[in-house]
Amino acid sequence: MSRSTLNVTFAAGFLAVSMAILVARANPATSYESSVYAGTPTITWFGLALALAIAVGTCLTCRGRAQGYGIGLGAITVTAIVSLPVIRNYHYAGMGDALTHLGWTRDIVTGGTAPHELFYPGLHAIASTLHFAGGISIERGLLIGMVVLFVPFVIFVPLVVRDMAGGGLAVGLAAIVSWMVLPVNNIATHMGVHTNSNALFVVPAVVFALVAYLHRRSTIERLPFGVSPFSVLIFLTALALLLIHPQQMFNVVVLIGAISGVQYLARRRFDDHPMVDHPTTYVHTISLGGMFGLWALGNDRFRRAAFGLVSGLLAQDIGGGTTVNQRGSSLTDIGGSLGELFVKMFLAAAIIGLVVGLFILVVWLGRSSLDGEARSFVNYFSLALFPLCGMFLVYFLGTPTMAFRQVGFIYVLLTILAGIALAQFIGGLSNVITTPGANAVAALVLGTCLVLGLMTVFASPLIYSPGQHVTEEMMSGYEDGLDHGAEGVPYAGMGYDPYRYDHGINGLDGSDTLSGASRATGSVNATVFGEGNYSGAYPTGEYYFVVSEWDRTKELEVYDELNYERDTVEGVETEPGTNKVISNDEFSMYAVDDEPRATG
C-alpha cells in the first residue's frame, strides 16, 4: 500500500471515530437504557466499526510508524466505546458496588472520610480531584475515572509484547487482542465503577515495568547507588495498583514471586541461559509482599474477606458449582441456556485461551521459532499461571465471585501472551499458504472475536443482564424517598435491596463495609408478593415498596416475569392497603400498610 493511500486510510479512520463520538454526544440518553448498544445511534456504530476495521488491517499488514498509527486508532476507538456512558451523558452507571463507591467518594468530598482511611482509595481520589478541579459532579467524576484507569490497558499491552518478543506482528496482534477487553466477564469483573475490575486495566503498566527491568540491563540506565529506574517504576506502578485494589496487587506479588522461583531454579540448573543473565526479582517479591502486608493485614475489611473465604471452603453448600447450577436453571426458565450464554460471553476468551495454551505447549516442546530471550519471558508468565490458577480453584470452592475476579487477572496475562502466540501461528500459516492469505484468515478470526468481546463489555439484555444505567430521575426518586420516609419504616425493593442507593446518596459515614445502611432495607418475598399479599411480602408488614424503571425492565422484560408478574406489580397501584407517595417517570415508591383499609 502506497504512503498516500495509507495517509488517506488513516485520515478516514480518525475522521470516522471523531464523527462517531460527535454523533453519540449529540444524542444523549434521555431516559433509562437497558442497553448502551441499542441506545447509541446506529451511525455511531458504523463509524466505530469502520475505524476498527482500518485499525485491525493496518496492525496486521503495516510495520513501524504506520502500525503505530493503526494501534493508536484502535486504542482510541475502543476507549470511545468504553466511554459511551460519559459521552452520552449518563447521570451514573452501576447498581451494586458502584453506588457504594459513590458514597465513599461523597464522604471524601464532604470531609467525612480521608482518602487513606479507605482500603482502596485510588479511584475515589481521582474522582474527588476531578470534582474539585473541574467542578463536575461526583457521579461524572467516577465515570471519567473509570475511563482514565482503562487507558493503560490498551497502551501497555502492546508495549509489553514489544519488549518481550520485539516482532512487529506480535505487537500488532497484542493490540488487537487488548481491544477485546477479555478481563471483563460480567460475572465478577465489569466495565464500570468497580475498583477490582478497574485495577485489572492498570496491571499491564506494572508488567511493563517488570519486563523492562528484566530486559534492559544497560549500566547507562542506572540511578545513583546502581538502582535501576525500572525498579523504581515497578514500585510506583505497584503502589498505584495497591491503592486501586489490593487483590490485583496481591496477584502481581504472586506473579513476581513465581518469576523469582523460576529464576532461582534456572540458576541452580543452568550455567548459560538467558534467565541467568536477567537481574533477579527477589527483592521486588519481598518488598512488594511487605507493602501489601502492611496495607492489608491491618485492615478489618481484609480480615473479614479472608474469614469469608475460609468459611466458604468449609461449607458444603458454598462454591462455584452451586452458583452455576442455579443460574443455569433460571436461564432455562426464561428461554435461554448456558450454552448460548457461553458463546456470547466466553467464546472469544475461550478461543484466545486455547491458542495461548497450545502455544505454551509448543514452546515447552521446543518447537517454536522464538529466540532464547523471548522463550524465557514466555516461560516466566506461563509458569506463573500455575499458582494463579491454583488461587482460582481455592476461590472457586470458597467464594465464587472472587474466583471470576481471578479469571480477570489471568486473562490480563493471556492477552499479553496471545500477541506472541498468534504471531507464531500466523507465521506458520504463512508458510503453508501465502502471507496475505494468512493475514486474511487472522483478520477474519480476530475480527469475529473482537465483535464478540466488545458486544459484551457492558451488561445488556443480550446476556440477560440489563444495563445498570442510573438516571437522574431514579437518583432523585430514591433521594426523596429516603429523605421523606417515616422514621422506623423500612424500604423494600423488587428483587433489589435499596441500601446501595442509601450509600450513594448519603455516604457511609466512614464505614468501610459494603453491607448495611443507615436505614432498614431489604427485598420483598417474590412468592408472597406474587400472590397479591403485599403487606405479607415483607416481615414488618408496614414498609415502603420502591421500584425503578431498571427493576421493571429486569424483572418483567429481561427475566420475562420469572420472579414477579406484571399484573401483580401493576396491582400495587390499586391495592387498598398501598399508597403511592413518590413518583416520576423512572421511579415509584408506595407506602404499604400492615392492615389494609376497608373499602366501601
Side-chain angles (χ1 to χ4, degrees), residues 100-117:
T100 301
H101 293 306
L102 174 59
W104 277 326
T105 309
R106 199 177 300 282
D107 286 340
I108 293 174
V109 169
T110 58
T113 300
H116 69 272
E117 294 176 344

PDB file of all heavy atoms in Angstrom, residues 100-117:
ATOM      1  N   THR A 100     -21.918   2.150  46.232  1.00  0.00           N
ATOM      2  CA  THR A 100     -21.146   2.261  47.465  1.00  0.00           C
ATOM      3  C   THR A 100     -19.887   3.093  47.235  1.00  0.00           C
ATOM      4  O   THR A 100     -19.517   3.919  48.076  1.00  0.00           O
ATOM      5  CB  THR A 100     -20.773   0.865  47.988  1.00  0.00           C
ATOM      6  OG1 THR A 100     -21.980   0.127  48.233  1.00  0.00           O
ATOM      7  CG2 THR A 100     -19.990   0.953  49.284  1.00  0.00           C
ATOM      8  N   HIS A 101     -19.246   2.891  46.087  1.00  0.00           N
ATOM      9  CA  HIS A 101     -18.082   3.718  45.752  1.00  0.00           C
ATOM     10  C   HIS A 101     -18.479   5.189  45.621  1.00  0.00           C
ATOM     11  O   HIS A 101     -17.711   6.082  46.005  1.00  0.00           O
ATOM     12  CB  HIS A 101     -17.437   3.226  44.461  1.00  0.00           C
ATOM     13  CG  HIS A 101     -16.804   1.874  44.584  1.00  0.00           C
ATOM     14  ND1 HIS A 101     -15.872   1.589  45.553  1.00  0.00           N
ATOM     15  CD2 HIS A 101     -16.970   0.732  43.859  1.00  0.00           C
ATOM     16  CE1 HIS A 101     -15.486   0.317  45.425  1.00  0.00           C
ATOM     17  NE2 HIS A 101     -16.145  -0.215  44.415  1.00  0.00           N
ATOM     18  N   LEU A 102     -19.659   5.433  45.107  1.00  0.00           N
ATOM     19  CA  LEU A 102     -20.164   6.808  45.040  1.00  0.00           C
ATOM     20  C   LEU A 102     -20.311   7.382  46.442  1.00  0.00           C
ATOM     21  O   LEU A 102     -19.955   8.552  46.699  1.00  0.00           O
ATOM     22  CB  LEU A 102     -21.513   6.828  44.309  1.00  0.00           C
ATOM     23  CG  LEU A 102     -22.259   8.162  44.265  1.00  0.00           C
ATOM     24  CD1 LEU A 102     -21.426   9.248  43.591  1.00  0.00           C
ATOM     25  CD2 LEU A 102     -23.607   7.990  43.560  1.00  0.00           C
ATOM     26  N   GLY A 103     -20.822   6.577  47.378  1.00  0.00           N
ATOM     27  CA  GLY A 103     -20.969   7.036  48.757  1.00  0.00           C
ATOM     28  C   GLY A 103     -19.637   7.338  49.407  1.00  0.00           C
ATOM     29  O   GLY A 103     -19.483   8.347  50.113  1.00  0.00           O
ATOM     30  N   TRP A 104     -18.643   6.471  49.182  1.00  0.00           N
ATOM     31  CA  TRP A 104     -17.311   6.722  49.740  1.00  0.00           C
ATOM     32  C   TRP A 104     -16.702   8.003  49.181  1.00  0.00           C
ATOM     33  O   TRP A 104     -16.100   8.788  49.904  1.00  0.00           O
ATOM     34  CB  TRP A 104     -16.389   5.537  49.455  1.00  0.00           C
ATOM     35  CG  TRP A 104     -16.537   4.415  50.435  1.00  0.00           C
ATOM     36  CD1 TRP A 104     -16.830   4.522  51.764  1.00  0.00           C
ATOM     37  CD2 TRP A 104     -16.396   3.020  50.164  1.00  0.00           C
ATOM     38  NE1 TRP A 104     -16.878   3.272  52.339  1.00  0.00           N
ATOM     39  CE2 TRP A 104     -16.608   2.328  51.390  1.00  0.00           C
ATOM     40  CE3 TRP A 104     -16.107   2.279  49.031  1.00  0.00           C
ATOM     41  CZ2 TRP A 104     -16.540   0.943  51.498  1.00  0.00           C
ATOM     42  CZ3 TRP A 104     -16.032   0.903  49.120  1.00  0.00           C
ATOM     43  CH2 TRP A 104     -16.252   0.237  50.343  1.00  0.00           C
ATOM     44  N   THR A 105     -16.881   8.202  47.864  1.00  0.00           N
ATOM     45  CA  THR A 105     -16.349   9.419  47.256  1.00  0.00           C
ATOM     46  C   THR A 105     -17.063  10.650  47.805  1.00  0.00           C
ATOM     47  O   THR A 105     -16.440  11.692  48.057  1.00  0.00           O
ATOM     48  CB  THR A 105     -16.507   9.362  45.723  1.00  0.00           C
ATOM     49  OG1 THR A 105     -15.968   8.134  45.223  1.00  0.00           O
ATOM     50  CG2 THR A 105     -15.781  10.524  45.060  1.00  0.00           C
ATOM     51  N   ARG A 106     -18.344  10.517  48.027  1.00  0.00           N
ATOM     52  CA  ARG A 106     -19.106  11.625  48.610  1.00  0.00           C
ATOM     53  C   ARG A 106     -18.590  11.930  50.027  1.00  0.00           C
ATOM     54  O   ARG A 106     -18.494  13.091  50.431  1.00  0.00           O
ATOM     55  CB  ARG A 106     -20.597  11.280  48.645  1.00  0.00           C
ATOM     56  CG  ARG A 106     -21.512  12.493  48.798  1.00  0.00           C
ATOM     57  CD  ARG A 106     -22.966  12.092  48.747  1.00  0.00           C
ATOM     58  NE  ARG A 106     -23.349  11.444  47.511  1.00  0.00           N
ATOM     59  CZ  ARG A 106     -23.588  12.080  46.374  1.00  0.00           C
ATOM     60  NH1 ARG A 106     -23.466  13.402  46.319  1.00  0.00           N
ATOM     61  NH2 ARG A 106     -23.960  11.418  45.300  1.00  0.00           N
ATOM     62  N   ASP A 107     -18.245  10.883  50.774  1.00  0.00           N
ATOM     63  CA  ASP A 107     -17.683  11.095  52.110  1.00  0.00           C
ATOM     64  C   ASP A 107     -16.360  11.848  52.040  1.00  0.00           C
ATOM     65  O   ASP A 107     -16.080  12.715  52.878  1.00  0.00           O
ATOM     66  CB  ASP A 107     -17.467   9.745  52.807  1.00  0.00           C
ATOM     67  CG  ASP A 107     -18.767   9.106  53.270  1.00  0.00           C
ATOM     68  OD1 ASP A 107     -19.759   9.831  53.406  1.00  0.00           O
ATOM     69  OD2 ASP A 107     -18.776   7.880  53.486  1.00  0.00           O
ATOM     70  N   ILE A 108     -15.530  11.528  51.042  1.00  0.00           N
ATOM     71  CA  ILE A 108     -14.244  12.215  50.885  1.00  0.00           C
ATOM     72  C   ILE A 108     -14.471  13.683  50.541  1.00  0.00           C
ATOM     73  O   ILE A 108     -13.840  14.584  51.107  1.00  0.00           O
ATOM     74  CB  ILE A 108     -13.392  11.532  49.795  1.00  0.00           C
ATOM     75  CG1 ILE A 108     -12.965  10.127  50.262  1.00  0.00           C
ATOM     76  CG2 ILE A 108     -12.160  12.369  49.461  1.00  0.00           C
ATOM     77  CD1 ILE A 108     -12.244   9.331  49.193  1.00  0.00           C
ATOM     78  N   VAL A 109     -15.391  13.939  49.618  1.00  0.00           N
ATOM     79  CA  VAL A 109     -15.657  15.309  49.173  1.00  0.00           C
ATOM     80  C   VAL A 109     -16.208  16.161  50.313  1.00  0.00           C
ATOM     81  O   VAL A 109     -15.848  17.339  50.466  1.00  0.00           O
ATOM     82  CB  VAL A 109     -16.631  15.293  47.980  1.00  0.00           C
ATOM     83  CG1 VAL A 109     -17.139  16.702  47.668  1.00  0.00           C
ATOM     84  CG2 VAL A 109     -15.945  14.705  46.752  1.00  0.00           C
ATOM     85  N   THR A 110     -17.067  15.582  51.128  1.00  0.00           N
ATOM     86  CA  THR A 110     -17.671  16.347  52.230  1.00  0.00           C
ATOM     87  C   THR A 110     -16.781  16.401  53.467  1.00  0.00           C
ATOM     88  O   THR A 110     -17.130  17.063  54.450  1.00  0.00           O
ATOM     89  CB  THR A 110     -19.035  15.735  52.615  1.00  0.00           C
ATOM     90  OG1 THR A 110     -18.848  14.360  52.995  1.00  0.00           O
ATOM     91  CG2 THR A 110     -20.007  15.807  51.444  1.00  0.00           C
ATOM     92  N   GLY A 111     -15.656  15.686  53.435  1.00  0.00           N
ATOM     93  CA  GLY A 111     -14.736  15.714  54.571  1.00  0.00           C
ATOM     94  C   GLY A 111     -15.041  14.702  55.644  1.00  0.00           C
ATOM     95  O   GLY A 111     -14.381  14.678  56.683  1.00  0.00           O
ATOM     96  N   GLY A 112     -16.018  13.835  55.419  1.00  0.00           N
ATOM     97  CA  GLY A 112     -16.361  12.841  56.430  1.00  0.00           C
ATOM     98  C   GLY A 112     -15.356  11.714  56.509  1.00  0.00           C
ATOM     99  O   GLY A 112     -15.264  11.017  57.525  1.00  0.00           O
ATOM    100  N   THR A 113     -14.596  11.494  55.426  1.00  0.00           N
ATOM    101  CA  THR A 113     -13.604  10.425  55.368  1.00  0.00           C
ATOM    102  C   THR A 113     -12.369  10.942  54.653  1.00  0.00           C
ATOM    103  O   THR A 113     -12.494  11.640  53.640  1.00  0.00           O
ATOM    104  CB  THR A 113     -14.156   9.191  54.619  1.00  0.00           C
ATOM    105  OG1 THR A 113     -15.313   8.696  55.303  1.00  0.00           O
ATOM    106  CG2 THR A 113     -13.118   8.081  54.537  1.00  0.00           C
ATOM    107  N   ALA A 114     -11.205  10.591  55.145  1.00  0.00           N
ATOM    108  CA  ALA A 114      -9.957  10.905  54.449  1.00  0.00           C
ATOM    109  C   ALA A 114      -9.651   9.771  53.481  1.00  0.00           C
ATOM    110  O   ALA A 114      -9.956   8.607  53.763  1.00  0.00           O
ATOM    111  CB  ALA A 114      -8.816  11.069  55.446  1.00  0.00           C
ATOM    112  N   PRO A 115      -9.061  10.062  52.315  1.00  0.00           N
ATOM    113  CA  PRO A 115      -8.800   9.003  51.339  1.00  0.00           C
ATOM    114  C   PRO A 115      -8.029   7.816  51.910  1.00  0.00           C
ATOM    115  O   PRO A 115      -8.342   6.661  51.598  1.00  0.00           O
ATOM    116  CB  PRO A 115      -7.994   9.728  50.249  1.00  0.00           C
ATOM    117  CG  PRO A 115      -8.438  11.145  50.338  1.00  0.00           C
ATOM    118  CD  PRO A 115      -8.690  11.385  51.805  1.00  0.00           C
ATOM    119  N   HIS A 116      -7.018   8.068  52.764  1.00  0.00           N
ATOM    120  CA  HIS A 116      -6.196   6.967  53.265  1.00  0.00           C
ATOM    121  C   HIS A 116      -6.949   6.069  54.237  1.00  0.00           C
ATOM    122  O   HIS A 116      -6.473   4.980  54.572  1.00  0.00           O
ATOM    123  CB  HIS A 116      -4.937   7.525  53.945  1.00  0.00           C
ATOM    124  CG  HIS A 116      -5.214   8.245  55.227  1.00  0.00           C
ATOM    125  ND1 HIS A 116      -5.514   9.595  55.263  1.00  0.00           N
ATOM    126  CD2 HIS A 116      -5.264   7.807  56.523  1.00  0.00           C
ATOM    127  CE1 HIS A 116      -5.712   9.962  56.515  1.00  0.00           C
ATOM    128  NE2 HIS A 116      -5.577   8.908  57.301  1.00  0.00           N
ATOM    129  N   GLU A 117      -8.136   6.474  54.666  1.00  0.00           N
ATOM    130  CA  GLU A 117      -8.927   5.641  55.564  1.00  0.00           C
ATOM    131  C   GLU A 117      -9.674   4.536  54.821  1.00  0.00           C
ATOM    132  O   GLU A 117     -10.189   3.615  55.452  1.00  0.00           O
ATOM    133  CB  GLU A 117      -9.921   6.509  56.339  1.00  0.00           C
ATOM    134  CG  GLU A 117      -9.254   7.481  57.306  1.00  0.00           C
ATOM    135  CD  GLU A 117     -10.239   8.412  57.999  1.00  0.00           C
ATOM    136  OE1 GLU A 117     -11.394   8.515  57.522  1.00  0.00           O
ATOM    137  OE2 GLU A 117      -9.855   9.018  59.006  1.00  0.00           O
TER     138      GLU A 117
END
